[in-house]
Amino acid sequence: MAKYFDVHPENPQRRTITGVADSIRSGALVAYPTDSCYALGCQLGSRDGIGRIRSIRDLDERHHFTLVCQNFGQLGQFVHIDNDVFRAIKAATPGSYTFILPATKEVPRQLLHPKKKTVGVRIPDHTVAQALLAELGEPLLSSTLLLPDEKEPLTQGWEIKERLDHVVDAVIDSGDCGTEPTTVIDFSGGAPEIVRRGAGDTTRFE
């Protein structure tokens, strides 16, 4: 049965955030809010967490997992990024964007696209997500909480608790969050390619 945490949206309770971060380090899979709907998240190197996310969402090996990062310093450890791409991404973050980039050796192999050796990265503009990332001290391996055969992602903490009670370990509820998935921009070829139009404005990448 999943633990349910009611967290203040602007001043998240430190004790609660610390407890959730500790559980993630111990292997927990959590549902947490971002600026672009809820996400499933686990520790970066958790094989069990990756497997559980794949099972919940019915994902194949071509799915791009996302490393949700606290800031640019953290992001730069996990992807290769040149100056032009750096400036373009810097101008759009934090925000509702996921960027696909060539991965560094710091990224576990099971997270990489099997052919492209790329990974998704993002920096959310959400107080609770940022607090959790700051406490965790490393990126959160994540995927949008979009269930198989459903067109809309889950956006209510209580509903997530009801529907995923026996497949996730914790649900963080801080009230309303984004209702659209991120906009996905693929920079792996150098020039931006819009893979998915979502919450982030695509104008700057067109």
Side-chain angles (χ1 to χ4, degrees):
M1 183 175 291
K3 294 180 179 179
Y4 183 82
F5 298 98
D6 189 5
V7 175
H8 194 282
E10 297 175 5
N11 297 293
Q13 301 91 319
R14 183 173 179 84
R15 179 179 294 182
T16 300
I17 295 297
T18 298
V20 174
D22 287 343
S23 69
I24 290 169
R25 294 188 191 100
S26 299
L29 176 63
V30 303
Y32 70 100
T34 78
D35 50 338
S36 58
C37 70
Y38 267 82
L40 294 168
C42 67
Q43 192 172 34
L44 182 59
S46 174
R47 287 183 176 273
D48 177 67
I50 294 168
R52 291 166 71 188
I53 292 173
R54 287 191 189 279
S55 176
I56 291 169
R57 291 205 52 204
D58 192 22
L59 301 172
D60 63 25
E61 64 176 9
R62 294 168 296 176
H63 176 74
H64 267 111
F65 282 98
T66 298
L67 303 182
V68 178
C69 302
Q70 182 188 1
N71 51 40
F72 239 94
Q74 203 173 69
L75 182 149
Q77 301 174 43
F78 296 94
V79 290
H80 296 289
I81 184 168
D82 65 28
N83 289 336
D84 289 341
V85 175
F86 175 90
R87 284 191 290 269
I89 294 178
K90 183 75 170 177
T93 54
S96 300
Y97 298 92
T98 297
F99 300 100
I100 297 173
L101 290 159
T104 67
K105 293 181 179 179
E106 300 295 319
V107 179
R109 287 184 60 190
Q110 66 266 31
L111 302 187
L112 302 180
H113 187 284
K115 292 184 179 179
K116 297 181 179 180
K117 308 303 180 187
T118 49
V119 70
V121 288
R122 71 167 300 217
I123 302 173
D125 186 14
H126 191 277
T127 300
V128 174
Q130 279 287 342
L132 181 58
L133 291 165
E135 183 64 34
L136 196 59
E138 64 181 25
L140 197 53
L141 168 63
S142 297
S143 184
T144 302
L145 213 176
L146 180 62
L147 298 180
D149 301 321
E150 296 194 11
K151 295 181 179 180
E152 301 291 333
L154 299 179
T155 59
Q156 300 293 326
W158 62 267
E159 182 184 10
I160 293 167
K161 163 70 171 167
E162 280 190 357
R163 296 186 61 182
L164 302 182
D165 201 26
H166 297 290
V167 292
V168 301
D169 300 303
V171 177
I172 301 175
D173 191 346
S174 61
D176 293 339
C177 68
T179 57
E180 284 187 276
T182 55
T183 290
V184 179
I185 310 293
D186 189 343
F187 270 109
S188 61
E193 176 187 350
I194 300 169
V195 176
R196 180 179 71 195
R197 295 178 187 271
D201 182 12
T202 59
T203 305
R204 69 177 75 232
F205 301 108
E206 294 178 305

